[in-house]
Amino acid sequence: MDREARIIYMGTPEFAVPPLEEMVKKGYHVVLAVTQPDRARGRGKKVHPTPVKEAAQACGIEVAQPEKIKGNEEFLTELRDLKPDLIVVAAYGKILPAELLAIPARGCINIHASLLPRFRGAAPIQRSIIEGDEVTGVTLMYMEEGLDTGDMIAKASTEIGRKNADELTNELSAMGAELLCRYLPAILAGEAEREKQDDSLSCYAPMLTKEEGRADFSRSARELERLVRGMGSWPGVTAYYQDQPMKIREAEVEEKTADQAPGTVLSAGREGIRVACGDGVLCITRLQMPGKKEMAAADYLRGNSIEEGIVLK
């Protein structure tokens, strides 16, 4: 039955593209892709299609982009008329109402980017880095009305190491695609195992905010380095040098103590910009200044100076 099953796919960002493409590659019958409406983004604020919309259209799959789902009877009727066997979700971007979850014969499953019950919510990849987890992964799960509370089907894990949020997102997306297609036959046959989550082990991973990205050098260098990797390309981590915002794109930790006040520039040269922290020293190795491209700190310092002893805010 598996290749004949009618599947609706719901997803929006780049993370959700590999699972869709892998299902198509394996010959599964995706009858509709549902994604968020096109939004204006980037410097020019041009309207761009979502990554899932572009991927679905390239595969010849019909696309729907409802502004809302809850209470949208016209859209829900459209889904019912498609008579889906299964709905697969990956980073769609909105909580799905009970009336949608009840539509497919085999239920709704989700590819969630954490090892549940750890990090339920919108930003599990980033939070796993920021909180210093050594391992993360993806969980294939059945969906219910609660936020990422459904029964688990399977997991796959990976070490975080020094990966940043963008690198980890790409890796987990590929892992999710493989896990999905490995378990689809059992899911469609109604034979997939279900494991309840231990709610006492769960924690919430809220969306990132720009405010969280303000560099606070009173924190330890290790915490700040994780923050830089976890905040990724957006919103990033920002420090201020002479009232100019400096985006810290990459940094390293030096296990040294510094007598100067947190935020004090200890040196600025080929190795980067070394800054005193509440504990240890943070060496900024890549940065982006206003109106400039991202570059190595050493390259920036060839044509610009950052004074030793000045305090970054």
Side-chain angles (χ1 to χ4, degrees), residues 26-299:
K26 291 283 196 289
Y28 286 98
H29 185 31
V30 181
V31 296
L32 180 69
V34 183
T35 188
Q36 292 286 309
D38 299 340
R39 308 287 189 200
R41 50 192 162 97
R43 284 188 178 181
K45 295 299 180 184
K46 292 183 179 179
V47 175
H48 295 274
T50 71
V52 163
K53 179 179 180 178
E54 290 184 312
Q57 289 178 331
C59 294
I61 299 169
E62 184 179 347
V63 175
Q65 296 179 277
E67 278 288 349
K68 67 172 188 173
I69 294 178
K70 189 173 184 179
N72 188 342
E73 282 305 319
E74 181 180 353
F75 176 68
L76 292 170
T77 297
E78 178 185 343
L79 296 190
R80 293 187 189 101
D81 289 345
L82 287 171
K83 294 181 170 53
D85 295 287
L86 183 71
I87 292 180
V88 178
V89 182
Y92 174 64
K94 286 186 179 180
I95 295 175
L96 304 182
E99 51 265 44
L100 184 145
L101 298 177
I103 290 174
R106 293 297 183 191
C108 298
I109 61 171
N110 179 42
I111 303 167
H112 183 74
S114 83
L115 297 174
L116 288 171
R118 180 78 168 155
F119 290 126
R120 297 170 177 170
I125 297 173
Q126 296 88 342
R127 299 295 174 189
S128 68
I129 296 172
I130 293 169
E131 294 300 320
D133 287 10
E134 294 182 357
V135 176
T136 188
V138 289
T139 303
L140 190 62
M141 59 177 291
Y142 283 101
M143 298 182 71
E144 58 182 32
E145 285 191 78
L147 180 63
D148 302 322
T149 56
D151 292 348
M152 301 177 293
I153 301 166
K155 299 179 184 180
S157 63
T158 185
E159 292 186 0
I160 295 176
R162 292 263 301 146
K163 298 165 191 167
N164 62 36
D166 298 332
E167 293 166 339
L168 197 54
T169 295
N170 291 337
E171 181 179 0
L172 294 182
S173 176
M175 289 171 59
E178 191 280 329
L179 196 68
L180 170 67
C181 289
R182 192 194 323 165
Y183 283 89
L184 266 179
I187 293 167
L188 291 168
E191 299 171 354
E193 295 186 8
R194 305 176 72 122
E195 179 186 352
K196 294 254 182 230
Q197 295 189 45
D198 184 345
D199 292 340
S200 68
L201 299 177
S202 72
C203 55
Y204 180 53
M207 291 181 67
L208 303 177
T209 66
K210 286 185 177 180
E211 290 73 23
E212 288 180 272
R214 181 69 181 265
D216 177 2
F217 291 101
S218 68
R219 300 172 68 180
S220 73
R222 192 160 296 283
E223 286 178 298
L224 283 171
E225 187 273 338
R226 292 200 307 260
L227 187 68
V228 169
R229 286 189 288 116
M231 297 298 262
S233 54
W234 194 96
V237 173
T238 304
Y240 283 82
Y241 171 69
Q242 294 182 334
D243 296 326
Q244 291 287 306
M246 173 196 296
K247 287 281 188 181
I248 304 173
R249 294 306 188 187
E250 291 181 12
E252 297 176 356
V253 175
E254 292 185 12
E255 301 292 351
K256 299 180 179 178
T257 56
D259 295 332
Q260 290 87 337
T264 302
V265 174
L266 303 176
S267 65
R270 286 184 297 177
E271 75 279 9
I273 303 164
R274 300 174 60 251
V275 185
C277 297
D279 180 20
V281 174
L282 187 75
C283 184
I284 301 167
T285 56
R286 289 188 70 82
L287 54 78
Q288 186 172 10
M289 298 299 286
K292 304 288 186 181
K293 292 182 179 180
E294 177 184 331
M295 64 182 71
D299 292 338

